[in-house]
Every structure is written in C-alpha cells, then in structure tokens.
Amino acid sequence: MDPLTAAGMMGVAALAGVAGALFGIGGGIIVVPALSLLFGLDMHEAAGISLVGIVASSTGAASRYVGTGQANIRLAAVLEPLSVVGSLAGASLSLHAGQSWLAAAFAVMLAYSAIAMLRRKEAAIEPERARGKLAGRYIDGKTGQLVEYCPVRPARGAGASLLAGATSGLLGIGGGLVLVPAMNLWMRVPIRAATATSNLMIGVTGVAGAAIFLAAGMVPLAEAAAVALGAYVGASAGPALAARVSAENIRKWFALLLIGVAALMAMRAAGVLS
Amino acid sequence: MSHAYGSKIVGVVLKACMAASIVALIIGLTLYSASPAPSSEIDVSSLPRGLLIGDAMAWLALGLLMVIAAPALRALAVLTVFLREREMLLAAITVATLTLLALAIWIGVNE
C-alpha cells in the first residue's frame, strides 16, 4: 500500500466516521463499497476492514457522546445482549435463508421506518415523566436546552435490538439502521440520544465479527490500520458537527438515508446488485 | 452515585483505548512505510519480540487488537460502575453481554 492509497483510505474512513457518528450507523455502508470499488480490495477483505473501522468509529464517537450525556450507558447495557444474540443467530441463519427475500423484507421495513420518521414529529416527554433507571438527560448542542427523557416500551426496544443484531448477521447491514428508528419511534428516545446510544452499542456488536476476520487472517493489517485511524478522526469530529445540526434535520437526513438503503436492498432483492 | 459518574468512567476508558491504539497504529504505519511487507497474519505469541525489534506488522497488530478490545473494556468498565452502584440487574445483564461476546468470538474463531 503506497502513501497515496493510505491517505485515500483514511479519507474514506473519516467520511464514514462522520456519517457513522451523526447517524449511529458505523459507516460500513460507505467503507465496504469504497474499498472494493475504489481500491480494488476483495469483498471479504473489505468486509473485515470495515468491521475494524466500525469498531473504531464506535469508540471515537462514543468517547465524545458519553461525556455529553447523549449516549445512555444504561439503555445500551439493557439492549446489548439481545443484539449480540441476534447477530449470532443471524450469522447462522444466513447460511440457510434466502437472501433475496430477506433483503426485500428489510427494504420494506426500512421504507416504513423512513416514512414514519418523516410523518411523525418527535414525541416530547414531559419532564415529570422523565424518571426511571433508564432515564437520560443532556443539553441539546444546537438549542442549548436541557432535554430529559425516559425510554418507554422496553420490551419492544429489546425486540428491535434482537432484530438489529439479526439483520446485521443476516445481511451484513449495520444494526444502527434498525436500532435508531426503533429507539426514536417506539421507545421515544430523542434522536440525538438514539444515535449516540447506537454508536455506543455497535462497537460491541462489531467486535465479534472483527475478531473473527482478524483471527482468520482475512484483514490486511496496514489497510485496516489506515481505515481505523481515519474512522477515529471522522468519528471524533462527527459529534461536534451533529451539535450544529438541529435534531429535526438529523431525523430528516436519517429518514433519507433509510430510503437510500431501502432502495439498495430492493435492488439486491431484485438481483440487480449482488 | 450519579449517571454522570458512570459516563465519565466510560469516557475515560474509551479515550485511553483510542489514544493507545492510535499511537501503536501510527508507529506501525511509519515502520511499514519504511519497509512495506504486506501481511494479514497476527501471531500473538511473537508479538512482544516483534514490538521490541520494531517490526511494523507487530505494531500494526497491537494497534488493531487494541481497537477491537475497546468495546469489551468499555463493557467491563460499565460492569464495575454498576457493581459499585449496586445495580445488580444491570450488572448481571452486562455480564451476559460479555459472556455472549466471548462465546461469539470463540464460535467464530473455531468454526
């Protein structure tokens, strides 16, 4: 790998890190196609490097978000085990399940979440209801206002976490695309806290995959190092950018991202994309 | 003890892991640029010797292992916070996460 390639990979990873930090998605959706299409890496190598990048992105973003109180460590702790179970089950099922049907179902689910996020306003939580073990509070970087909330419907959130892990294992798509809308729409977690908490969680879900790829000798070390460094830079800068954007716009952009991924999944289901 | 205390501990652990891995990765990439020898293999047993003799791949491997260790160490830090706060249910859930994570890695590596 020459210095120019290393710089290019770092740049792509930094971009993915910013997007990952902003939306709580890890950035694999940018890194995998970029590494295979722009840098000519084999898909397995790209996937392994991307997993390392996702873990780095999670650490970089979460290290900032926990300090501001936006990442809810208690909520993450409750949802994490089911997400790991889901990813284990998903990875096993992926060997037997029809990928095109799964991709089609996932596309419908993402499109539904996107429409719901665009149509429904974020549900406000009365301060007196924002109590409980999973409650959180933070200062909104854009408005300077104190935001207090308490997640509701924990059972639905747990189900979504299981589903997020399963889709991650089944389709190789980051669980954040499922977790963030589920936390925001079902559990009434504000979008900033949902993306920040997702950033904290995706590191744990990504670790198992990254360790497996590294142990199998499928990750070129120098390229992975360049991607990890770029992801750290992008993910560390992402929270500062997120603070300048209104929560309403983050929600709209996230919905548009969901529509984009739903379209990609629909193409995959139709056999247009592999 | 407040939620802010737990967040502070977790933030410190994540930042320390990030700083340590960045140092190792930069050293590794600098050594690699001087004498490029691409590799995808990580040999943990020869890591200490490799680090001592300035082997680029050993430094890169150390940095990458630190990257993937960060979320597990973060979960451990969360566990200590919950134990200190006597939040036994949350502590038990975190132990379950760590166990599942170890199981997932074990299954994947031995498959």
Side-chain angles (χ1 to χ4, degrees):
Chain A
M1 182 180 64
D2 57 86
L4 196 62
T5 306
M9 285 184 182
M10 276 187 206
V12 165
L15 185 70
V18 169
L22 199 55
F23 300 124
I25 55 166
I29 205 153
I30 295 171
V31 173
V32 174
L35 289 181
S36 62
L37 297 175
L38 298 179
F39 300 100
L41 289 182
D42 167 69
M43 275 305 281
H44 283 105
E45 288 180 335
I49 293 172
S50 167
L51 279 166
V52 173
I54 287 170
V55 177
S57 173
S58 162
T59 301
S63 71
R64 302 283 167 135
Y65 282 134
V66 288
T68 61
Q70 289 177 69
N72 187 330
I73 57 172
R74 287 160 181 260
L75 178 59
V78 169
L79 299 180
E80 267 168 357
L82 285 161
S83 137
V84 179
V85 169
S87 70
L88 268 172
S92 308
L93 283 173
S94 68
L95 302 172
H96 313 288
Q99 291 279 314
S100 55
W101 282 104
L102 287 169
F106 194 58
V108 171
M109 190 179 71
L110 291 183
Y112 170 79
S113 300
I115 292 164
M117 285 182 93
L118 287 171
R119 288 184 61 185
R120 279 189 231 160
K121 282 200 162 189
E122 193 160 91
I125 293 180
E126 303 81 13
E128 64 271 16
R129 286 192 58 203
R131 300 285 179 271
K133 281 192 186 293
L134 302 182
R137 61 198 307 224
Y138 62 90
I139 303 285
D140 185 299
K142 178 77 175 170
T143 63
Q145 288 181 328
L146 175 69
V147 178
E148 291 182 291
Y149 66 95
C150 186
V152 295
R153 303 187 191 104
R156 275 204 204 183
S161 186
L162 189 71
L163 184 66
T167 51
S168 167
L170 278 165
L171 296 166
I173 294 283
L177 289 168
V178 178
L179 271 174
V180 172
M183 281 194 264
N184 186 244
L185 293 168
W186 286 350
M187 302 183 78
R188 293 177 68 183
V189 175
I191 191 74
R192 287 190 194 283
T195 53
T197 305
S198 173
N199 264 303
L200 190 63
M201 291 175 62
I202 53 176
V204 165
T205 347
V207 160
I212 290 162
F213 273 88
L214 280 169
M218 290 162 75
V219 181
L221 303 188
E223 284 81 352
V227 167
L229 285 173
Y232 274 147
V233 172
S236 299
L241 174 69
R244 290 167 183 255
V245 183
S246 70
E248 200 181 328
N249 279 338
I250 293 177
R251 220 162 168 261
K252 276 184 196 159
W253 294 356
F254 192 92
L256 294 175
L257 174 77
L258 288 178
I259 290 170
V261 180
L264 288 175
M265 284 292 117
M267 285 196 270
R268 190 164 152 183
V272 180
L273 289 177
S274 58
Chain B
M1 212 176 298
S2 68
H3 290 203
Y5 171 79
S7 296
K8 193 177 170 186
I9 297 290
V10 171
V12 167
V13 168
L14 287 173
K15 281 179 184 156
C17 288
M18 188 164 76
S21 60
I22 286 174
V23 169
L25 292 173
I26 288 176
I27 292 173
L29 280 179
T30 308
L31 292 167
Y32 179 85
S33 65
S35 57
S39 173
S40 302
E41 300 296 326
I42 294 181
D43 183 2
V44 179
S45 61
S46 65
L47 210 55
R49 189 175 172 277
L51 295 173
L52 286 173
I53 62 169
D55 175 26
M57 287 302 143
W59 280 97
L60 290 174
L62 177 70
L64 293 173
L65 289 174
M66 285 175 172
V67 170
I68 64 164
L73 291 174
R74 189 269 295 168
L76 274 175
V78 168
L79 175 63
T80 60
V81 169
F82 289 155
L83 287 174
R84 215 174 142 181
E85 292 178 350
R86 302 198 181 283
E87 294 278 10
M88 291 310 168
L89 180 61
L90 290 172
I93 295 172
T94 308
V95 169
T97 301
L98 284 163
T99 309
L100 285 165
L101 197 57
L103 181 71
I105 294 171
W106 185 83
I107 290 172
V109 169
N110 291 290
E111 233 173 27

